[in-house]
Amino acid sequence: MELISAVATASGAGGVAIVRVSGEGALALAQQMFSHKGEFEPNRLYPGKIDCGPFSDYGMCVYFRAPRSFTGEDTVEFHCHGGTEIARGVWKRTIELGARAAERGEFTRRAFLNGKLSLSAAEGMAEMISAQSEAQVRAGFLLYGETLTREGKRLQTEIRECLAYADADVDYPEEDLSADARREVAVRLRKIKEALGGLLSQYRVGKKIRSGVNVVICGEPNAGKSSLLNALLGYERAIVSQIPGTTRDAVEGTLEIGGVLFRLTDTAGLRESQDALEQEGIRRAKNAIAAADVVVLVREGGAEGHDMPKLSPGTALITISSKSDLVRSEKCDLCVSALTGEGIEALKELLYERGFGRENGEAYLLEERHYGAVREAAEAVDRALEGTEKGAFAELYAEDLRRAYVALGLLSGETATEEIIAEIFSKFCVGK
Ligand code: GDP
């Protein structure tokens, strides 16, 4: 393949920057601009001088021989000092020597095309790179380790076995045998359906790993919502005031609890108001509550009022009795004081438990594309199963089995179209 080059590290000042060159002639290029004379042993870092033309830098060079490289092609990397101009100078020299600028994600795309990793593994790697929390890195790593592709392939194999029954039935249709085949396929399909259902159920958690758990703090004006947000975040994010109705817009902040990202929103106090600006704040508060994963209802001293928000199905509720240093009530989940810090750690634990769930650490179905593929497969399996149960002709349920097979192949990329592949890699960064 054509020689491509890119700065693989983020731009800016840093200890080291890496320029990566992959394709035919990578080694010859390194020999032209790097001072090491003699043989380049693969996978070995050589120290030396990188000649960029207008300037030089002392650094290192490593050669990975095809197919034992990330891309599967001959690759060299120059490790220079981490300054934008230095890295650009090294890169420009590689271009002068015949490489062309790599497109976004082109190295990974080549790795995929050369069978070094599957499509969902490439997406997992991108997930790790853009992660905003430990949980997202962990999930990305599971994808990168081919967990989803393996499961997809396993299910594809089982579907293929069902197809073998169906095909035999098509070729040698006979009443008794057809019924036997249908029964056997149905037994297998029920197991496949269960496995697909398990994957799909991960997505509820997977979405939270990817986008964060939405927590909305609500309650009457002056209940202590802004103070609670600040206490949770550990810094003064929201304005705290004795004047009720101060928070008019939703104030947001992010917090990592147990490696999971939580997005906290402090809302305008819920009360009847004539003030147009405050009314707008209250309208936004109601919208935020409707979209929340967890609603934290703050009540001063636990006092019950007309503040119970309307929750969407699936939204968890945590009731807080605030200002526990002044007044206390046990008619709530937790007593909290933003002033003394009482209950803040316990609240974080409760947020984790109700907003995310203790047992949800190992989810890896978090990408919409993966969810779509698994859902499509599950729907096709459902139709096939219904067909076998209703005594449909093998031709009919086999068609659905084939659809499920193709949908699952989208995970590894085996059945993905050029457009899908191009779109995925266009979202990667240059140099990856
Ligand atoms: P919000 O309108 O619900 O956002 O309430 P604020 O956080 O602005 O607080 C309203 C008033 O209650 C302010 O004067 C705060 O200083 C006070 N306040 C909030 N939390 C506490 C607390 O835990 N203890 C005490 N003693 N006062 C608090």
Side-chain angles (χ1 to χ4, degrees):
M1 287 277 259
E2 217 182 340
L3 200 58
I4 54 169
S5 170
V7 180
T9 39
S11 131
V16 177
I18 296 175
V19 175
R20 184 189 257 173
V21 184
S22 177
E24 243 162 74
L27 181 60
L29 180 143
Q31 282 162 333
Q32 273 176 277
M33 59 185 280
F34 194 67
S35 62
H36 174 75
K37 297 285 166 252
E39 219 203 320
F40 261 93
E41 219 180 282
N43 312 329
R44 197 172 148 184
L45 269 179
Y46 289 95
K49 197 163 84 178
I50 308 167
D51 176 8
C52 306
F55 65 83
S56 294
D57 185 19
Y58 285 114
M60 288 194 271
C61 183
V62 55
Y63 164 55
F64 301 104
R65 184 165 32 210
R68 293 188 55 202
S69 69
F70 174 71
T71 56
E73 310 170 330
D74 264 8
T75 302
V76 290
E77 281 178 10
F78 298 99
H79 296 214
C80 60
H81 285 100
T84 312
E85 274 309 307
I86 308 171
R88 207 157 60 112
V90 176
W91 174 76
K92 266 165 68 182
R93 184 73 184 135
T94 66
I95 301 297
E96 280 165 15
L97 292 175
R100 81 156 159 78
E103 290 164 18
R104 287 176 170 275
E106 198 170 1
F107 292 94
T108 316
R109 187 180 176 147
R110 288 188 177 188
F112 166 68
L113 293 174
N114 288 327
K116 301 293 280 189
L117 81 183
S118 76
L119 208 48
S120 74
E123 288 165 296
M125 194 181 62
E127 197 77 55
M128 290 175 76
I129 290 171
S130 65
Q132 287 184 284
S133 67
E134 278 172 22
Q136 202 180 351
V137 177
R138 216 166 36 230
F141 187 69
L142 284 170
L143 284 175
Y144 185 42
E146 304 286 7
T147 313
L148 182 60
T149 290
R150 252 196 318 273
E151 180 64 355
K153 286 196 164 161
R154 184 183 74 78
L155 293 169
Q156 275 186 304
T157 307
E158 297 199 4
I159 290 172
R160 220 171 24 229
E161 284 167 13
C162 292
L163 267 169
Y165 279 98
D167 288 342
D169 190 15
V170 171
D171 293 340
Y172 308 101
E174 196 186 304
E175 204 50 47
D176 291 352
L177 290 179
S178 293
D180 283 349
R182 276 197 300 272
R183 247 193 314 278
E184 180 60 36
V185 170
V187 169
R188 287 163 182 258
L189 283 183
R190 273 184 215 111
K191 281 198 192 127
I192 296 172
K193 179 185 161 107
E194 198 181 311
L196 289 170
L199 278 176
L200 288 176
S201 68
Q202 278 190 22
Y203 190 54
R204 196 182 55 78
V205 173
K207 262 197 308 202
K208 291 181 185 175
I209 292 177
R210 187 141 204 256
S211 334
V213 180
N214 272 323
V215 179
V216 173
I217 303 174
C218 70
E220 289 187 338
N222 248 0
K225 301 179 294 297
S226 305
S227 306
L228 182 66
L229 176 77
N230 290 341
L232 281 167
L233 296 178
Y235 63 92
E236 300 293 307
R237 176 68 182 83
I239 302 168
V240 173
S241 154
Q242 289 170 329
I243 308 161
T246 310
T247 308
R248 285 149 187 259
D249 199 358
V251 181
E252 293 175 6
T254 59
L255 171 71
E256 209 170 303
I257 308 174
V260 177
L261 186 75
F262 282 73
R263 295 182 186 280
L264 309 185
T265 307
D266 174 22
T267 58
L270 300 174
R271 64 166 182 180
E272 296 299 323
S273 168
Q274 299 308 316
D275 181 315
L277 205 62
E278 195 179 346
Q279 277 176 356
E280 175 59 17
I282 292 169
R283 194 186 65 79
R284 289 189 191 186
K286 287 185 174 161
N287 285 346
I289 288 164
D293 295 309
V294 189
V295 167
V296 176
L297 177 58
V298 183
R299 288 165 165 168
E300 184 170 341
E304 285 178 48
H306 303 287
D307 54 358
M308 183 51 91
K310 206 166 164 278
L311 302 184
S312 306
T315 301
L317 178 71
I318 296 176
T319 52
I320 296 291
S321 170
S322 64
K323 309 188 191 179
S324 65
D325 53 293
L326 296 178
V327 272
R328 304 185 70 85
S329 160
E330 300 309 322
K331 276 172 47 189
C332 60
D333 290 314
L334 276 176
C335 288
V336 171
S337 166
L339 196 68
T340 65
E342 184 199 348
I344 295 294
E345 283 311 309
L347 176 55
K348 286 184 189 171
E349 281 181 28
L350 203 57
L351 280 171
Y352 186 88
E353 204 169 297
R354 297 208 184 152
F356 186 70
R358 295 246 162 256
E359 67 294 340
N360 288 330
E362 297 307 306
Y364 50 86
L365 198 97
L366 66 163
E367 298 246 358
E368 207 178 320
R369 189 184 82 81
H370 302 165
Y371 177 72
V374 175
R375 203 186 48 194
E376 204 181 318
E379 284 167 3
V381 164
D382 276 350
R383 283 194 304 271
L385 185 59
E386 205 183 308
T388 58
E389 285 167 350
K390 285 189 176 156
F393 285 123
E395 285 92 338
L396 287 179
Y397 68 78
E399 195 48 44
D400 285 321
L401 289 177
R402 268 183 217 107
R403 286 213 178 90
Y405 185 90
V406 170
L408 286 171
L410 293 172
L411 301 175
S412 65
E414 173 200 336
T415 56
T417 59
E418 262 305 309
E419 287 83 45
I420 295 176
I421 294 166
E423 200 199 315
I424 289 169
F425 289 108
S426 71
K427 292 191 196 126
F428 277 50
C429 34
V430 172
K432 192 59 241 164

